[in-house]
């Protein structure tokens, strides 16, 4: 924890006699104040109630032993708006996206004190990433309109929207690899099947890359390849399709290999830790090596009910939304033993988890 050191002078006056003018000392006492209470831990977004109320953020300590709910409300005596969708980061700030509230709240990522907010120019915002001193926020627009989706470009010095980039339907997660921005286009009421590539130097779409139906996550491996997990079209669409994994060569921006799941398998929550790729499917967690990937047949963990998850080291941290109406929980699993080691309280509908270092 970073700490501010305050130097306090303590003065002791001793009057020994009216005839003596004795010297006194001013000893220096160092007092440590933990002014960055949310550093080196985990932030959890809680969507909040769908019909009313507002979303929240939960903080978990680095050891995953305690949780503190409603940290934004505690610090700012205010709320984040309806349906807290996600958080993006720069070096010092966190950008909290309220989907239904059409709001982006900028806070100090370690104190959670509000710096600014953007409440105009957004339409169904989803995920945030930063590149070249600018912020990029995916927006669905009207979910029933496939032509109004865009990326809002934000000047991070002034916290204002300066441009928009039109993209195809359903832009979701966004990732910057140091050269390009990659956006999964999942679809709105329909199903999409592309990754959009944006050059942040010109704020233009370079290309779109076909992947599986309804891409829901993307991760870079240690070689710089981009792995895109697609859930496939669910059965209620009328044309169910299989989930898949696509590996994109980020030098050529083409798919170098792909892997198909069963038609009724719809995986999500992709994570790459070291050289292992994890995903969640039907209450089970699976893992395979990115260097010699094969779709695994034996799960690492079973009997789960997770909304989302991340892997850090040998620990899996998963959100459990419970009944989607009352407070959910965060479950901590030891991957070396396959056991649940702790359960922590979260807010209503906990979803995304981020390490805040």
């Amino acid at each position: 924890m970073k700490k501010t050191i305050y130097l306090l002078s303590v003065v002791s006056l001793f009057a020994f006699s009216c005839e003596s003018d004795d010297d006194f000392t001013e000893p220096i006492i160092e007092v440590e104040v933990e002014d960055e209470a949310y550093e080196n831990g985990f932030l959890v977004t809680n969507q909040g109630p769908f019909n009313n109320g507002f979303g929240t953020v939960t903080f978990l300590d680095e050891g995953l032993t305690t949780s503190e709910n409603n940290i934004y409300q505690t610090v700012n005596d205010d709320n984040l708006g309806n349906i807290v969708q996600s958080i993006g980061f720069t070096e010092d700030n966190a950008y909290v996206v309220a989907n239904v509230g059409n709001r982006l709240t900028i806070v100090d990522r370690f104190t959670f004190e509000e710096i600014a907010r953007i409440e105009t120019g957004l339409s169904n915002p989803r995920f945030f990433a930063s590149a070249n001193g600018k912020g990029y926020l995916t927006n669905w627009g009207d979910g029933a309109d496939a032509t109004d989706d865009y990326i809002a470009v934000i000047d991070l010095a002034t916290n204002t929207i300066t441009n928009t980039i039109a993209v195809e339907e359903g832009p979701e997660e966004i990732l910057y690899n140091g050269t390009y921005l990659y956006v999964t286009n999942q679809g709105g009421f329909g199903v999409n099947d592309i990754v959009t590539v944006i050059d942040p130097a010109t704020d233009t779409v370079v290309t779109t890359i076909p992947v599986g139906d309804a891409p829901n996550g993307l991760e870079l491996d240690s070689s710089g390849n981009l792995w895109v997990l697609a859930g496939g079209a669910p059965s209620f669409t009328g044309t169910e399709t299989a989930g898949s994994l696509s590996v994109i060569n980020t030098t050529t921006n083409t798919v170098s290999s792909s892997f198909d799941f069963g038609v009724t398998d719809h995986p999500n929550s992709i994570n790459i830790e070291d050289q292992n790729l994890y995903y969640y499917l039907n209450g089970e967690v699976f893992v395979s090596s990115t260097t010699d990937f094969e779709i695994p047949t034996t799960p690492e963990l079973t009997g789960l009910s997770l909304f989302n998850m991340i892997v850090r080291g040998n620990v899996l941290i998963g959100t459990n939304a419970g009944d989607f109406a009352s407070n959910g929980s965060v479950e901590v699993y030891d991957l070396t033993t396959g056991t649940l080691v702790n359960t922590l309280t979260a807010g209503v509908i906990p979803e995304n988890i981020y390490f805040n270092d």
Side-chain angles (χ1 to χ4, degrees), residues 180-201:
Y180 296 112
L181 290 153
Y182 295 87
V183 181
T184 55
N185 291 84
Q186 189 170 352
F189 290 119
V191 174
N192 210 339
D193 59 356
I194 62 169
V195 169
T196 299
V197 185
I198 294 171
D199 184 349

Side-chain angles (χ1 to χ4, degrees), residues 4 9 15 27 42 51 57 59 62 66 72 95 121 123 132 144 156 172-173 190 196 200 233 248 260 280 301 337 345:
T4 303
S9 296
F42 297 85
N51 296 324
V57 175
F59 175 74
E62 188 175 13
T66 61
Y72 175 84
Y95 296 76
S123 182
N132 296 351
L156 298 182
E172 280 283 294
E173 292 195 29
T196 299
I248 295 174
D260 293 326
Y280 181 74
L301 298 173
T337 62
T345 302

Side-chain angles (χ1 to χ4, degrees), residues 117-303:
R117 65 177 69 176
I118 298 174
E119 297 180 287
T120 59
L122 303 179
S123 182
N124 222 339
R126 306 293 289 174
F127 292 87
F128 173 97
S130 64
N132 296 351
K134 294 175 286 186
Y136 295 84
L137 180 59
T138 60
N139 285 260
W140 268 25
D142 184 344
D145 186 346
T147 65
D148 67 346
D149 304 63
Y150 64 96
I151 311 298
V153 183
I154 300 168
D155 183 330
L156 298 182
T158 62
N159 293 313
T160 56
I161 296 174
T162 58
N163 192 13
T164 59
I165 305 168
V167 294
E168 293 191 34
E169 186 180 21
E172 280 283 294
E173 292 195 29
I174 181 168
L175 179 152
Y176 180 53
N177 77 334
T179 303
Y180 296 112
L181 290 153
Y182 295 87
V183 181
T184 55
N185 291 84
Q186 189 170 352
F189 290 119
V191 174
N192 210 339
D193 59 356
I194 62 169
V195 169
T196 299
V197 185
I198 294 171
D199 184 349
T202 59
D203 289 339
T204 57
V205 174
V206 174
T207 189
T208 58
I209 305 171
V211 292
D213 287 336
N216 57 40
L218 65 178
E219 290 271 307
L220 290 167
D221 66 21
S222 58
S223 299
N225 299 305
L226 183 67
W227 293 70
V228 181
L229 182 64
S235 58
F236 66 75
T237 63
T239 307
E240 188 171 12
T241 58
S244 64
L245 264 170
S246 300
V247 185
I248 295 174
N249 180 320
T250 54
T251 300
T252 62
N253 284 322
T254 58
V255 174
S256 58
S257 58
S258 60
F259 308 87
D260 293 326
F261 293 84
V263 173
T264 60
D265 290 338
H266 304 292
N268 59 20
S269 299
I270 183 174
N271 279 262
I272 293 178
E273 179 71 0
D274 295 328
Q275 294 182 342
N276 291 322
L277 185 148
Y278 297 83
Y279 62 88
Y280 181 74
L281 173 64
N282 298 330
E284 299 176 324
V285 173
F286 294 85
V287 60
S288 185
S289 172
T290 57
T291 60
D292 187 21
F293 186 84
E294 293 182 357
I295 292 180
T297 57
T298 303
E300 290 289 297
L301 298 173
T302 61

Side-chain angles (χ1 to χ4, degrees), residues 52-68:
N52 51 53
F54 46 84
T56 63
V57 175
T58 296
F59 175 74
L60 313 176
D61 73 290
E62 188 175 13
L64 296 167
T65 59
T66 61
S67 64
E68 179 185 347

